[in-house]
Amino acid sequence: MDPNKVTAGQIRAMKGGGKKIAALTAYDFAMARLLDEAGIPLLLVGDSLGMVVLGYPDTTAVTMADMEHHLGAAARAKPRALLGADLPFRSYETPEQAVINALRLVEAGAEFVKAEGGLAILPQVRAIVTAGIPFCGHLGMLPQRVREEGGYHVKGRTDPERQALLADADALVNAGAFAVVLELVAPPLAAELTRRIPIPTIGIGSGADCDGQILVTHDLVGTFPWFTPRFVKPALNAAEQMRTVVQQWKTSVES
Ligand code: KIV
């Protein structure tokens, strides 16, 4: 085993260590290798691949087979980064199903799994952790429930939502999660959660006070220009650059 390999324990230990955690999504060999070479310590084969790679309107159509296919490609990059994957929609309805599918992801190369929810999926989280698989939580806006919720809305602005999120986060900590993604959590509550729990919070659209930040890489580099979340400022307009060089190449071939 590579002595420099990042482990879930090391990511957990980064909380309060002075350096925030920079995490990105990777869905294939080249992207995993490039991001790893850039020094990103945590890579996620997110089910956001449903939108930015497979062209679905949301993540709910993503299957275990899709996740295994993309995870296998990313894992072949043998990143130094900790590499994890999402359990897709309806793949963790019971503790037994959650463990079977988490083990399938491990078999395909995942070093941790992530699933959406807190108290509602606690038996599943406990079963995954008991099986020895590092688990990352995901609270706030839950993209797998976007159809029920009718859109991507900020969570934790009302007291009932705040109480529910505090309880969910505490439950995930007690169940043994090593980190938790906070998606579209109202920034003051994300900051409160970050102070409250002993594991790293990794925010996406949840303000600057989390222990780390995660983005869909396509949003960061501008390779999915047809939709950019409000909270992302693309650092590159790769789509426009590609269009330009492709048109130049086409002209050179045609003339
Ligand atoms: O699916 C995904 O890519 C995610 C992250 C952006 C947090 O869940």
Side-chain angles (χ1 to χ4, degrees), residues 5 26 28-37 43 71-81 83:
K5 179 76 194 156
D28 61 32
F29 174 88
M31 191 56 78
R33 191 158 172 180
L34 281 171
L35 300 180
D36 195 50
E37 287 172 2
L43 297 177
L71 177 56
R76 282 189 284 279
K78 296 190 178 21
R80 175 187 161 267
L83 179 68

Side-chain angles (χ1 to χ4, degrees), residues 25 27 44 46-48 86 114 138 181 183 204 214-216:
T25 60
Y27 314 108
L44 176 72
D47 59 355
S48 51
D86 274 325
K114 176 166 84 57
H138 185 141
V181 167
E183 177 156 358
I204 173 161
I214 185 163
L215 282 181
V216 168

Side-chain angles (χ1 to χ4, degrees), residues 5 8 45 64 67-76 82-88 91 97-114 127-136 178:
K5 179 76 194 156
V45 182
M64 275 298 297
M67 294 306 298
E68 289 171 310
H69 181 74
H70 288 273
L71 177 56
R76 282 189 284 279
L82 181 69
L83 179 68
D86 274 325
L87 279 162
S91 71
Q97 189 196 26
V99 171
I100 289 169
N101 285 325
L103 286 169
R104 275 177 65 178
L105 294 181
V106 169
E107 191 62 30
E111 294 155 339
F112 73 89
V113 301
K114 176 166 84 57
I128 290 169
V129 172
T130 303
I133 302 165
F135 181 83
C136 178
F178 74 93

